Amino acid sequence: MSRIPVPRSGRPVAVLALAAGLLGLLAAPPGAPTPSPRTSPVAAVAENTATVFYWTKTKNWTAHHLHYAPDGGSWTTVPGVAMEPACTDWVKKTVSLGTAAGLQATFNNGSGTWDNNGGRNYALGTGNITVKDGVVAHSDPCADTTPSPAAGATVYYSTEALGWSTANIHYQPAGGAWTAVPGVGMQAACAGWWKREIDLGTAASLRAAFNNGNGTWDNNGGSDYTIGTGVSTVRNRVVTAHAADPCAATPPDTQAPTAPAGVTAAAADGVSVLLSWDPATDDRGVTKYQVTRTGGSGGTVVTDVASTVYSDTGLAERTAYTYTVRAVDAAGNVSAASAPATATTGDRPATPATGKPLGTDPRKDPIYFVLTARFNDGDPSNDRGGSQHVKSGNAANDDPMFRGDFKGLIQKLDYVKGLGFSAIWVTPVVLNRSDYDYHGYHGWDFYKVDPRLESAGASYQDLIDAAHAKGMKIYQDVVYNHSSRWGAKGLFVPTVYGVRDGQWSWYYDEKQPGFEYDGLTIDAKTGKSYYNGDLWSTAEPAGNTCVNWGKPTGGKSAEGYTVYNCQWPSPTSGMFPKELYHQCWIGNWEGEDSRSCWLHEDLADFNTENPTVQNYLIGAYDKYIDMGVDGFRVDTAVHIPRTTWNRRFLPAIQERVTQRHGAEAAKNFFVFGEVAAFVNDKWNRGSVNHSAQFYTWKERKEYDADDAKAALEMYDYEQQQGTGNQPTSTNAFLDGNSYHTPDHSRFSGMNVIDMRMHMNFGDAQNAFSNGKDSDDSYNDATYNVVYVDSHDYGPNKSSERYAGGTDAWAENMSLMWTFRGIPTLYYGSEIEFQKGKKIDCGPTCPLADTGRAYFGDHVAGSVTATDFSQVSSASGAVATTLQQPLVRHVQRLNQIRRAIPALQTGQYSTEGVTGGMAFKRRYTSGSTDSFALVTVSGGASFTGVPNGTYTDAVTGDVRTVTGGTLSVAAPGKGNLRVYVLNGPGRIGTAGPYLK
């Protein structure tokens, strides 16, 4: 699909659209009269006019707009003025040019498709002008024809989501006048729908807004609705042109879907079979699939599946099973069976998946984030340095990149619990493969846990079970966007050119039959764990698509060695099939290509719109859902189209959790995406598709059934809608002092990291102000994950770990633990670990010199936690760590937050609140009614609050409010006051900041 051509106007189209979108809801209804100017009349000046005729037959658009600028004048607002029917196959528009002798012009369909004369615009004069297939002439093509009949519009408006008991349409035919406010009444058509037939005369469209007759308006966020002739529906701010009558009786569906094709079955994890297939088609849509299994002693088993991938578990060992798949539509029509697929199971795994997620509201659980390989080393036998061990300087520090492991994390669960955290975010656990892969983001075998993290008695399953036994959740970092540069085992692994000569024999390992890379096992012949003999060949492989196989590029390596074509995988080398991987580099990080091209040379970009790729990834992550993880942190979520998340990956997650663990667990399975925006804008440089809040919403309209086409359609549509026409929500906000039930009906299923607050945490006041400013555009900002710095960046896109000082850290923490969202701390920040150090420099410097240094030395010794934030005993280095000021600060913050529901799940407001960082929060459910007044660092005054007894959770101070006002003195930087109505009293003991 081509991109939208941009007219060569005096102002860019995007700027015009943005300016229009920012109008928002109007104080007066659209079309209201404006005051007359109080100036003396002046003599009329003769004006030039042009009547522009445009040929419609070739493009066959349903609507036509003229976007123009008189010579020397300004352009009209996008999309321009609507053209009207002239005669058969022609539309026209007469425009005033003033004293100009001509105009620049482009044409469009009002929905983003343009004719701008190949980017040159049309140069037109005055009088009658025709534009036909790019040719300009001066004539009236309709001079000898009968005028077109009057046009009509039938408008259906849905009030289902609004609850209105009546509806009016206030409208303006193109070129005509608005109706008088409130417009004309619409007739009830059927449940939830209202109808009005409108005579447009010669106009080809109308602008409209709707109201309930009592002052409540829907004017499309201030932009009004543009509606064409024929039947149109308006539902949830989406206009559907040439629509079917929503109240017409639907004829019975008797057509069955097509039989599913491409069914494959493969044994996985011994007694499991992974089944996948291509989507079936149906005239009204497939709703589910029926998977039929035969074989073994269980007879015939039929299972309903909502996606195109199914993992069949708990089967018999060493048994052949045969599967067929049928598609089912909403009417119950069933397709013919697919071709059969057969798989034979192996031996039962020694450690079956036994986990079950805790299934509680994720907002109650503060998160501690660890790079597992750098946190704590419980088993030195699985340490591995990799090919860059010496070059990086890690060898000199006896600090292999893979050092920490699950055993080390299990050993220190009491440390994390003693800090008060009840959720741990771990970096990706899948088997990685690259030159420097300890962080986990270079996935190679997505179905296998990396053995460099596991030990006897300390598998990934053991970690999950051990955390759950302590009431702690495990959030797994997952990657859907890319694999390692060497591809993904089980999907596609490229063959690279390699010559074992005097230059490259150190790099290309001799093939060892039967040896399989797992990152851990040492190849006896080479002594390497990073063996690559299975990846390369000097002989051109069958079906090779790589260009100039094995020929020198003319370049040299850093060592001066000859570099060959097809030696290093890249998107443009032809080494990856376009069906499975994208074929380009990102050129514009705020452009469409940022979702369909490679981020970096060692991150091969999946074609996530391909069903085979989707099935591979869904099947892989089903395994970890089955193990009982409590949620997924989604890496590089912004680099996959929202349509793909909403159509495929997010529903698959929900389906699997529901299937394995129940509906309540699915409701609270926490998915939070990294939608990286490194600017302070509410909308990332004005691009809605690249902004975090955008991903928290469902789609607003239907797109093509093909996922790749749908992604482009959605991108174009939403970019045209702009920032001023995006959905909004009050889910994070109190209604005065009252909590209200949030509306999650349009929630996509993905929450997000609060990148805007993260970028502004150089100063807590900035983070607070920027956070508040964005909250109406998230579906529910109370689920935002909030942190100061991470394994990638510090505030303001700093490449160093935060070094703002202990007082500033304490202030940031006090805000994070009391404001909306889920507070998250990157490992070691509780002692300002590696403050000011560069977070990551790859293998060009030792890890010990970076923000990803090994932390185990600081938690060495023993520690026992009796409860969250409660340590009963500690010895060794960890005892010293636990005495640090920020440790004591975060322990008490966690105590306070855990005791006050309003601070966990409450909505907030700053209405009637004065003070720099001050707000009120409330949560009400059943017998729970928690109301808190909070101020951080500075003083505050709260007016219009409920009367009653308030107790400060920090000091125990008691205030009785009788006139709706409570004033609080400034507690000092990093300190805070939390006055709770009918509160529990002081929580915890005074520390270095909370006192």
Side-chain angles (χ1 to χ4, degrees):
M1 180 176 289
S2 61
R3 297 171 185 266
I4 305 170
V6 179
R8 297 170 61 193
S9 56
R11 294 174 65 195
V13 169
V15 175
L16 289 167
L18 176 60
L22 291 176
L23 293 175
L25 290 172
L26 303 177
T34 56
S36 301
R38 295 185 178 182
T39 57
S40 300
V42 295
V45 177
E47 291 187 336
N48 294 325
T49 62
T51 300
V52 182
F53 293 86
Y54 187 72
W55 176 253
T56 64
K57 191 170 183 179
T58 303
K59 297 188 180 298
N60 199 29
W61 293 343
T62 58
H64 301 78
H65 290 75
L66 170 65
H67 179 48
Y68 72 95
D71 292 346
S74 299
W75 284 82
T76 55
T77 301
V78 173
V81 295
M83 304 186 75
E84 60 203 42
C87 55
T88 303
D89 298 329
W90 289 94
V91 293
K92 70 176 182 178
K93 187 66 182 180
T94 300
V95 297
S96 174
L97 302 178
T99 59
L103 67 153
Q104 292 281 311
T106 66
F107 304 87
N108 66 86
N109 69 349
S111 299
T113 301
W114 290 79
D115 171 9
N116 63 359
N117 195 20
R120 300 183 298 276
N121 299 338
Y122 290 97
L124 308 178
T126 59
N128 293 326
I129 307 164
T130 62
V131 180
K132 180 178 180 181
D133 294 338
V135 177
V136 178
H138 289 265
S139 64
D140 181 351
C142 301
D144 299 321
T145 62
T146 303
S148 300
T154 300
V155 182
Y156 286 89
Y157 183 70
S158 172
T159 59
E160 180 182 11
L162 303 174
W164 292 357
S165 59
T166 189
N168 299 301
I169 179 170
H170 176 48
Y171 69 93
Q172 175 198 43
W178 284 90
T179 56
V181 174
V184 296
M186 304 184 76
Q187 297 85 37
C190 57
W193 286 97
W194 299 79
K195 174 184 177 182
R196 183 76 191 196
E197 294 181 352
I198 298 171
D199 182 359
L200 295 178
T202 59
S205 65
L206 69 147
R207 292 177 63 199
F210 302 88
N211 64 85
N212 68 352
N214 291 310
T216 300
W217 286 80
D218 170 11
N219 63 359
N220 196 22
S223 301
D224 299 331
Y225 293 97
T226 299
I227 301 172
T229 58
V231 177
S232 300
T233 60
V234 182
R235 184 174 184 269
N236 295 336
R237 292 177 67 172
V238 176
V239 176
T240 303
H242 304 292
D245 182 345
C247 297
T250 303
D253 181 4
T254 59
Q255 181 176 331
T258 61
V263 179
T264 61
D269 289 339
V271 292
S272 298
V273 169
L274 178 67
L275 198 70
S276 65
W277 56 91
D278 298 331
T281 59
D282 184 70
D283 60 334
R284 300 190 187 179
V286 173
T287 57
K288 66 179 180 179
Y289 295 90
Q290 291 179 347
V291 177
T292 300
R293 181 189 77 207
T294 58
S297 60
T300 299
V301 177
V302 180
T303 304
D304 287 345
V305 179
S307 66
T308 58
V309 64
Y310 174 61
S311 180
D312 197 11
T313 60
L315 302 173
E317 296 178 287
R318 297 181 295 281
T319 302
Y321 291 93
T322 299
Y323 297 85
T324 57
V325 184
R326 296 175 185 265
V328 184
D329 65 18
N333 298 308
V334 182
S335 75
S338 68
T342 300
T344 301
T345 58
D347 295 327
R348 187 176 303 279
T351 307
T354 58
K356 185 176 179 64
L358 297 183
T360 55
D361 192 320
R363 295 172 295 178
K364 297 180 179 180
D365 301 300
I367 302 169
Y368 191 74
F369 170 35
V370 301
L371 274 109
T372 311
R374 306 301 301 160
F375 182 65
N376 185 53
D377 190 5
D379 179 10
S381 70
N382 61 12
D383 294 356
R384 293 292 182 268
S387 63
Q388 304 297 308
H389 190 48
V390 174
K391 178 182 177 181
S392 64
N394 290 338
N397 292 326
D398 192 21
D399 183 25
M401 59 172 185
F402 264 96
R403 189 172 178 184
D405 45 38
F406 296 142
K407 186 173 184 178
L409 185 51
I410 291 170
Q411 290 172 347
K412 301 304 173 185
L413 286 176
D414 270 25
Y415 170 74
V416 179
K417 185 171 184 175
L419 295 177
F421 292 94
S422 49
I424 301 176
W425 157 14
V426 295
T427 39
V429 304
V430 304
L431 175 59
N432 268 229
R433 192 166 192 176
S434 82
D435 297 325
Y436 213 50
D437 57 1
Y438 64 95
H439 43 66
Y441 298 99
H442 294 158
W444 188 67
D445 187 345
F446 286 68
Y447 285 78
K448 182 180 180 65
V449 175
D450 201 308
R452 291 169 288 187
L453 298 175
E454 295 194 302
S455 309
S459 67
Y460 187 38
Q461 186 67 65
D462 292 326
L463 169 64
I464 295 167
D465 294 345
H468 287 174
K470 293 182 180 293
M472 303 166 71
K473 296 179 177 180
I474 295 293
Y475 295 147
Q476 179 178 330
D477 211 321
V478 294
V479 184
Y480 286 77
N481 176 66
H482 58 263
S483 69
S484 74
R485 70 147 58 107
W486 310 115
K489 183 182 178 185
L491 181 70
F492 178 78
V493 177
T495 299
V496 304
Y497 175 80
V499 53
R500 299 193 75 246
D501 58 13
Q503 297 181 88
W504 289 106
S505 60
W506 64 274
Y507 186 81
Y508 295 110
D509 299 326
E510 184 178 349
K511 295 187 189 303
Q512 305 297 331
F515 183 84
E516 184 174 356
Y517 168 86
D518 64 7
L520 178 70
T521 305
I522 304 295
D523 168 29
K525 190 160 189 177
T526 64
K528 296 178 179 179
S529 63
Y530 48 95
Y531 161 85
N532 65 18
D534 57 330
L535 298 174
W536 68 272
S537 172
T538 55
E540 187 169 359
N544 170 56
T545 56
C546 187
V547 180
N548 296 319
W549 174 269
K551 295 179 180 179
T553 64
K556 299 288 184 179
S557 72
E559 300 86 356
Y561 301 158
T562 299
V563 176
Y564 299 89
N565 281 299
C566 310
Q567 186 173 19
W568 306 108
S570 77
T572 56
S573 64
M575 298 173 74
F576 289 85
K578 64 181 179 181
E579 295 79 14
L580 305 179
Y581 283 87
H582 289 134
Q583 309 285 301
C584 52
W585 296 107
I586 291 178
N588 178 6
W589 288 86
E590 275 75 41
E592 194 282 324
D593 55 340
S594 74
R595 307 173 320 143
S596 56
C597 298
W598 286 36
L599 299 168
H600 196 269
E601 64 179 354
D602 55 7
L603 304 177
D605 201 82
F606 285 131
N607 178 6
T608 49
E609 286 60 68
N610 178 277
T612 301
V613 175
Q614 293 168 357
N615 293 340
Y616 176 84
L617 292 168
I618 290 170
Y621 292 124
D622 279 352
K623 166 178 177 171
Y624 306 105
I625 290 172
D626 293 351
M627 294 174 73
V629 296
D630 300 274
F632 288 156
R633 180 269 186 181
V634 182
D635 182 68
T636 52
V638 71
H639 298 293
I640 294 177
R642 187 178 73 176
T643 46
T644 306
W645 284 117
N646 286 349
R647 284 184 174 189
R648 309 300 174 198
F649 297 136
L650 295 172
I653 291 170
Q654 278 293 299
E655 176 189 309
R656 189 65 171 199
V657 180
T658 302
Q659 181 188 72
R660 287 292 185 263
H661 307 300
E664 188 66 18
K667 174 186 173 183
N668 290 312
F669 189 89
F670 191 44
V671 179
F672 58 105
E674 178 204 24
V675 182
F678 301 119
V679 294
N680 291 335
D681 306 338
K682 179 175 182 176
W683 297 95
N684 185 11
R685 294 189 174 93
S687 175
V688 295
N689 276 279
H690 301 86
S691 302
Q693 57 268 43
F694 182 73
Y695 282 77
T696 66
W697 296 94
K698 290 180 178 178
E699 303 307 330
R700 298 193 282 170
K701 60 179 291 185
E702 291 295 324
Y703 300 104
D704 196 282
D706 178 86
D707 286 353
K709 292 179 181 178
L712 291 172
E713 288 178 0
M714 183 276 294
Y715 182 88
D716 289 345
Y717 173 77
E718 293 293 355
Q719 291 298 92
Q720 291 168 39
Q721 291 295 302
T723 60
N725 194 24
Q726 295 299 314
T728 58
S729 168
T730 61
N731 285 338
F733 305 118
L734 293 173
D735 183 2
N737 292 315
S738 299
Y739 178 87
H740 61 91
T741 302
D743 176 8
H744 294 150
S745 62
R746 292 185 290 167
F747 175 50
S748 67
M750 181 184 289
N751 296 288
V752 290
I753 295 167
D754 198 318
M755 296 300 294
R756 195 175 183 197
M757 286 194 73
H758 163 50
M759 284 291 103
N760 282 279
F761 260 118
D763 180 87
Q765 179 66 62
N766 285 343
F768 177 61
S769 299
N770 280 275
K772 288 188 301 178
D773 181 52
S774 294
D775 283 355
D776 64 342
S777 61
Y778 296 98
N779 182 269
D780 191 341
T782 65
Y783 288 86
N784 285 10
V785 169
V786 183
Y787 57 60
V788 173
D789 63 359
S790 73
H791 59 325
D792 288 325
Y793 290 101
N796 300 313
K797 204 181 179 180
S798 166
S799 59
E800 290 81 36
R801 289 196 74 159
Y802 183 63
T806 310
D807 291 351
W809 250 123
E811 185 176 58
N812 285 339
M813 289 178 177
S814 291
L815 176 63
M816 287 194 293
W817 262 259
T818 54
F819 189 43
R820 59 88 187 126
I822 303 171
T824 301
L825 200 67
Y826 182 40
Y827 83 99
S829 292
E830 65 272 22
I831 60 169
E832 297 178 83
F833 181 60
Q834 298 294 92
K835 62 181 179 182
K837 294 293 183 71
K838 192 173 182 64
I839 293 173
D840 175 34
C841 59
T844 63
C845 73
L847 281 165
D849 294 342
T850 73
R852 300 177 177 181
Y854 177 66
F855 191 61
D857 295 338
H858 295 276
V859 290
S862 65
V863 56
T864 301
T866 54
D867 202 348
F868 294 105
S869 300
Q870 299 291 326
V871 175
S872 60
S873 64
S875 63
V878 69
T880 301
T881 295
L882 288 167
Q883 293 303 311
Q884 300 306 303
L886 290 180
V887 170
R888 295 171 60 196
H889 186 53
V890 79
Q891 283 177 315
R892 193 172 183 205
L893 284 171
N894 273 322
Q895 282 182 298
I896 291 172
R897 188 178 189 273
R898 196 171 297 278
I900 302 172
L903 301 185
Q904 302 170 45
T905 54
Q907 295 161 341
Y908 79 94
S909 173
T910 56
E911 179 184 350
V913 180
T914 62
M917 288 182 284
F919 45 91
K920 52 188 176 182
R921 297 191 67 183
R922 190 170 206 160
Y923 175 73
T924 306
S925 178
S927 61
T928 299
D929 185 8
S930 177
F931 185 74
L933 307 176
V934 180
T935 183
V936 179
S937 295
S941 178
F942 302 87
T943 59
V945 299
N947 291 330
T949 302
Y950 290 77
T951 306
D952 178 24
V954 177
T955 63
D957 179 49
V958 178
R959 303 281 190 91
T960 300
V961 174
T962 56
T965 299
L966 189 152
S967 295
V968 182
K973 190 175 180 71
N975 202 351
L976 76 155
R977 296 291 179 257
V978 184
Y979 280 89
V980 183
L981 181 62
N982 301 319
R986 186 175 71 175
I987 301 167
T989 58
Y993 289 98
L994 298 181
K995 54 188 177 182

